[in-house]
Amino acid sequence: MMLEFVEIGFLDESNCDFSELKHDIGVYKAELAGKVVYVGKATELDNGGLRKRLRDYTRVSDSARNFPAGIEMNRYASQIVIYVMKFPREIESVAEIGQKEAEQIMSLRPTWN
C-alpha cells in the first residue's frame, strides 16, 4: 500500500472543510511558508479522526494548546497548509500510524516537534 500526503487546505479551514475527515485516521503535516513545522497523528477511530485533531488547534477551548507547538499552530492557523496521509480504518493501522509519524518526524525534522 502506497501512502502519500495530500494537501487539504489551511488549518483555519478558510479554503476547505475538515468535516470530510471525520471518519479518517492517519498522519498530518503542517507547512508554514513552504517549510514543514509540525507532524502529528490522529488515531481515534470513533471520535472524529483527523477532523477532530486538526480542529483542536483552532477551537475556542485551548486544550490542544497546552504545549508550544499547539500555541504556534493556533497562532499561524490562517497561514498553515495541512497535508494528510490517510490509513485504513482498522485497529492494526494505529501502530502503523505511530511508526509513520515517527519516520516523518525523523526525516522532515519539523521545527515545532
Side-chain angles (χ1 to χ4, degrees), residues 18-107:
F18 292 154
S19 62
E20 297 173 6
L21 302 172
K22 68 183 175 185
H23 298 294
D24 295 317
I25 58 174
V27 177
Y28 61 93
K29 70 177 179 177
E31 287 189 6
L32 178 62
K35 181 178 180 187
V36 178
V37 292
Y38 190 74
V39 172
K41 67 179 182 270
T43 57
E44 296 181 19
L45 292 167
D46 298 320
N47 194 21
L50 283 161
R51 174 195 56 90
K52 179 187 178 298
R53 186 68 192 104
L54 294 168
R55 283 186 176 164
D56 281 347
Y57 296 113
T58 60
R59 64 186 174 149
V60 175
S61 167
D62 65 358
S63 63
R65 298 188 296 277
N66 291 329
F67 58 102
I71 293 167
E72 296 301 312
M73 294 281 281
N74 179 262
R75 179 180 299 150
Y76 294 103
S78 66
Q79 300 167 52
I80 290 175
V81 178
I82 297 296
Y83 296 79
V84 299
M85 181 184 298
K86 298 178 189 178
F87 281 70
R89 284 186 47 80
E90 301 165 355
I91 194 67
E92 294 82 15
S93 292
V94 174
E96 292 176 36
I97 291 168
Q99 289 177 317
K100 182 59 83 171
E101 177 196 31
E103 289 170 10
Q104 294 297 312
I105 290 170
M106 289 190 65
S107 69

